[in-house]
Amino acid sequence: MKTRVIIFFGLLVLIAAIFISACKKNDVQPGEPHNPTYIDLTIPAGWPTPTSDIFANNKLTEEGFQLGKKLFYDGKLSKDGNFPCASCHQQFAAFATFDHDFSHGFDNSFTTRNAPGLFNLAWMTKMHWDGGINHIEVQPLAPITAQNEMAETIDNVLNKLRADTEYPALFKSAFGNTDINSQRMLKALAQFMGSIISSNSKYDKVQRGEASFTATEQNGYDLFKAKCETCHKEPLFTDNSFRNTGLAVNPFLNDFGRMRITNDKNDSLKFKVPSLRNVMLTFPYAHDGRFYSIGAAIDHYRTGIITTQPTLDPLLVNRIAITNTQKNDLIYFLNTLTDTTMTKAARFAQ
Amino acid sequence: MMKINTLLVCCFLSLVMISCQKAISPNTATGTVKITIRNTVKGNPMVLNTGNYTNSFGEQYNITKFKYYLSNVSVTTTPINTFNGRYYLIDQSNPASLSFSFEAPVDTYYSLKFLIGVDSARNVSGAQTGALDPLNDMFWTWNSGYIMAKMEGNSPQSPVVNNKVEYHIGGFAGTNSVLKNYGFIITDPAGINIREGKISEIFMDADFDTWWQGVFNLKIADNPVVTTPGVLAKSISDNYVSMFSITDIKNY
């Protein structure tokens, strides 16, 4: 009797197991377990939670991150092999283009805007100076296909990746099988870019009580909170809004910023408030890189603002009064925003 | 002993049931709705490249590309709404794209609904595949969002380079959204009569000539190129919303 019962239960368990495994969702071919290493994006203490989770439909994994990193540094994504993402987004310059107002693109061309640094993108609600990009995953489509950047087609890029000796295996470890398609490529790039967090500058250490400002830095910080904070909001040093700071229109570019996206004349000459983290590394400054030094950028607020532009930000109609001493203090403070932990991190390096 | 046995059997069975829940299809019998589209110009089948057309303003043109998205396609009858979360890219150069099918519970339906375009949620949700893959050349890279409908061609009346005519119609947010819900009430008493395992085929025409007039008169000479969201794109969509007509329904 006993053995009969045991056999009976054994059978039941077997049947149940077969049913259960048969009924599992079948994303991965049977016999090929896909066990990626899931990782979490660590939100620095005291920071706001990102308004939308960029990894909600793109589970962050070590394999996805590594694939994204390889893609970011790979010239194959450009037409002639010379313009990987990293050619314009250099780690030592906080992923901006070092010392260039405009970056070099395919066939001796220039970009028409200054390349911003890439970090803390998980908090960025809209990308590009005009906010035209609404999701981190679709951003790479712009540089890859732009004639003055990487000048390639998505189709060609995918074919190059499929023909490569390494990529099929990397896509498999990230996504479960060797299929290479645009969605997977874009999601992997998003995993890499979205993971770059800058939160270990001297400023951050001061906030955490691990360091203290000098008197000059503290004066600069106080001034910053009084005059700049509304737009360059801590801890990200941007409020993600679009504003006109009263810059003259560059007649070569005729760039009216946000208006191109919204078609609303109230948005004329508005550009995204850039983060000032790592600002000492991301010169030249402004959407067209017109200011070659941080001093020149600050002087704009003191004396350069064109106050007759109808869409000028109300905060700037009287310009910003800053004495020479205060300007000096401010620069000392901005220096504390440089995060060499990020710019030297092996994890983000090629 | 017997008692424990039954209990355990029940346990196992319910375990099996739970794990299988997703796979078990509802008991309702279903049939297939097949939609077949014919793109036309003034009632004649559209011929890409070589077809020569004249609009009601006397402007001549040809068409080299003609594609558009349909989504949220459903047949409805109270209380059934066969919501279909798929996206279809109708492309005149790809005959396979001109018809598509989905399942619906057995019933008689008197209405067909769809959205012309890609709903706004999908425009802000990152990288997509299938009909929504950016490879289909229906995604703006510099101003994220789908081109909902696209026509390209040439016209001697176009003042721009190579006499190009280019309409890339999109924009999913705000007052200039081009997204259009469209529906047909079917008056034929036979309706769309879905029977188990059978196909009901709905034949629709989509007439390009509607793009030029209807709500707004839009001449090639004035607007040869519309490739950004905005008032003009919205006006064209206000015209093209009436592009569709049902020409026949066959209940097999």
Side-chain angles (χ1 to χ4, degrees), chain A residues 1-11, chain B residues 1 5 8:
Chain A
M1 180 65 191
K2 245 199 180 138
T3 39
R4 284 245 306 272
V5 173
I6 288 170
I7 290 169
F8 178 63
F9 283 148
L11 265 172
Chain B
M1 190 68 218
N5 256 352
L8 281 172

Side-chain angles (χ1 to χ4, degrees), chain A residues 1 5 8-9 12-13 16 19-20 23 132-135 137-138 141-142 145 154-155 158 182-183 186 260-261 263, chain B residues 1 5 8-9 12 15-16 19-20 123-129 133-135 139 141-144 172 228-230:
Chain A
M1 180 65 191
V5 173
F8 178 63
F9 283 148
L12 269 180
V13 172
F19 263 102
I20 291 167
C23 291
I133 309 288
N134 67 25
H135 197 289
E137 286 171 18
V138 296
L141 296 170
T145 60
I154 302 299
D155 220 5
L158 296 175
S182 68
Q183 187 182 46
L186 295 169
R260 178 168 84 139
I261 302 304
N263 271 304
Chain B
M1 190 68 218
N5 256 352
L8 281 172
V9 170
F12 278 122
L15 204 71
V16 169
S19 68
C20 277
N123 282 271
V124 297
S125 306
Q128 309 290 324
T129 50
D133 194 313
L135 277 178
F139 190 81
T141 57
W142 55 277
N143 183 5
S144 313
F172 57 88
T228 62

